[in-house]
Amino acid sequence: MSEIAKTKHKTIALAMAGAGARAVMYFGILDVFKENGIDISMFATCSSASFVALAYSSGTLDLMKQRVLNMDSKEMRGLFETSFKGGIFSLNKIDAEMKKYIPYTNLEELPVPVSVVASDIVHGEEVVFSIGNISRAVKASCSMPGLFEPVVWGNRVLLDGGLFSIIPVEAAKASGADLVIGIDLASTRNLFSDPILHFKRGWNFVFWPLSFLKRSSFKAYDKIIGPREEVQANIDDIKTPNLFSILDRSMNYAIKERRKAEYFNCDIVITPSVKGFGDIGITKGEAMYAEGRRAAEEAMPLIKKLLRK
């Protein structure tokens, strides 16, 4: 029996970190899997990784790869339009581009399941979409705080999935796959860099007393005058927070986030080098693709060993 045939009965889930333009590396990684006869049974994705996973599931991965590798910076900037509704840009133009590669409307229609992870800053929790509208789930997962406007969905305000889960391992494990492989293209262990979070901690330390005084004054008012009238909120009352409110909440959640151990809670992690590759520019597309291939080829012997167990 061939080595490829031995591995076909085992299922694989990929947990793919969001990485902006570095998602080009995923094309190289998935090409190596294909060349080794290894199929992916399920994807859990954050942010830009969602586009690649959806193309794989739709059978249009090669088409998307050629498009991305031949796209210049001007074309990429053309996909974004100015918004200022809780973010500088809107992702509304992404819909037309997605439809070229993804002929499905809802996640449950996909031949290969894809779970898209987003972050809810109203309730402070991770949200995993495995059913429902593909476009809205992807835009929510890609909405980097401050850069892109959030997605309001029901009573939730949704942002980049990487806020609570840089590598969505737990969402991948929920699929029940035999082997969970994490792919780490993130340049930091958090959505925000350490210097930014250090600054935010300092800001909170300085301004916390003012916030405390404000809350105390409301409590004193309630004791003297009586409780203020409670206003019952409903779904229609949920509005997009302003840019500064989103950044404030997002950084506070990032400071509190302590689920970094999830990064190690999978069978194997593929870690391409991200040095020299930014989140936005795609001018180094060929080099990123090659680095993705290199990392996957390096990990392949261990992956095959795990699949034979």
Side-chain angles (χ1 to χ4, degrees):
M1 184 181 293
S2 70
E3 185 175 51
I4 291 175
K6 289 179 185 177
T7 66
K8 281 193 173 179
H9 67 284
K10 288 208 171 183
T11 55
I12 298 176
L14 288 192
M16 302 165 70
R22 289 192 299 272
V24 172
M25 292 182 185
Y26 286 126
F27 293 117
I29 292 169
L30 290 172
D31 277 352
V32 170
F33 273 79
K34 181 180 178 181
E35 291 161 10
N36 283 272
I38 297 175
D39 295 326
I40 309 303
S41 305
M42 181 272 175
F43 294 88
T45 66
C46 283
S47 193
S48 57
S50 304
F51 294 102
V52 181
L54 290 164
Y56 180 101
S57 182
S58 301
T60 58
L61 189 67
D62 287 339
L63 185 64
M64 179 180 281
K65 177 179 69 176
Q66 293 306 315
R67 166 66 170 146
V68 171
L69 289 178
N70 289 291
M71 182 182 289
D72 58 32
S73 298
K74 183 178 180 181
E75 286 180 289
M76 174 166 274
R77 289 195 299 270
L79 296 176
F80 310 137
E81 59 184 6
T82 306
S83 167
F84 296 112
K85 294 179 181 178
I88 299 172
F89 299 106
S90 162
L91 289 168
N92 291 334
K93 287 187 177 180
I94 292 292
D95 285 338
E97 192 69 19
M98 284 181 60
K99 287 177 182 177
K100 298 176 183 177
Y101 311 100
I102 304 157
Y104 302 98
T105 301
N106 297 310
L107 289 163
E108 63 268 27
E109 300 168 5
L110 293 166
V112 179
V114 177
S115 291
V116 179
V117 178
S119 302
D120 176 9
I121 62 166
V122 173
H123 302 91
E125 61 187 13
E126 176 182 290
V127 179
V128 181
F129 295 102
S130 55
I131 62 173
N133 186 267
I134 290 173
S135 173
R136 193 157 44 167
V138 171
K139 283 191 283 190
S141 187
C142 288
S143 295
M144 174 71 181
L147 186 61
F148 298 112
E149 66 179 45
V151 171
V152 178
W153 196 339
N155 64 342
R156 298 182 181 275
V157 177
L158 301 172
L159 292 168
D160 196 306
L163 183 60
F164 293 112
S165 186
I166 285 289
I167 305 176
V169 173
E170 294 306 316
K173 290 177 70 175
S175 69
D178 298 307
L179 188 67
V180 176
I181 301 174
I183 305 180
D184 182 10
L185 300 189
S187 58
T188 67
R189 293 272 55 78
N190 209 303
L191 198 61
F192 298 97
S193 66
D194 287 341
I196 290 175
L197 292 184
H198 288 324
F199 174 81
K200 186 60 170 68
R201 287 190 188 96
W203 178 276
N204 289 349
F205 178 79
V206 171
F207 285 93
W208 181 85
L210 296 178
S211 176
F212 175 79
L213 288 173
K214 181 179 178 181
R215 291 194 303 270
S216 298
S217 66
F218 279 133
K219 289 180 181 178
Y221 176 91
D222 288 345
K223 286 182 178 180
I224 297 171
I225 307 298
R228 287 161 289 157
E229 183 180 353
E230 292 290 335
V231 178
Q232 186 66 39
N234 56 50
I235 288 176
D236 294 332
D237 293 328
I238 300 294
K239 293 182 173 60
T240 303
N242 63 50
L243 174 62
F244 298 104
S245 175
I246 284 174
L247 284 172
D248 181 66
R249 286 193 186 198
S250 299
M251 283 189 275
N252 283 338
Y253 283 132
I255 290 170
K256 294 176 183 177
E257 181 57 37
R258 290 294 180 269
R259 284 173 51 194
K260 297 181 181 69
E262 179 181 323
Y263 170 67
F264 302 102
N265 195 20
C266 52
D267 297 292
I268 183 173
V269 179
I270 298 175
T271 312
S273 172
V274 300
K275 187 176 181 179
F277 301 125
D279 292 351
I280 300 175
I282 58 170
T283 55
K284 299 179 180 179
E286 293 289 349
M288 287 191 282
Y289 173 80
E291 176 55 23
R293 286 191 61 91
R294 183 207 62 77
E297 287 167 353
E298 183 179 273
M300 195 53 59
L302 177 56
I303 292 171
K304 288 181 177 180
K305 180 180 178 180
L306 291 171
L307 287 171
R308 285 195 298 267
K309 284 185 176 181

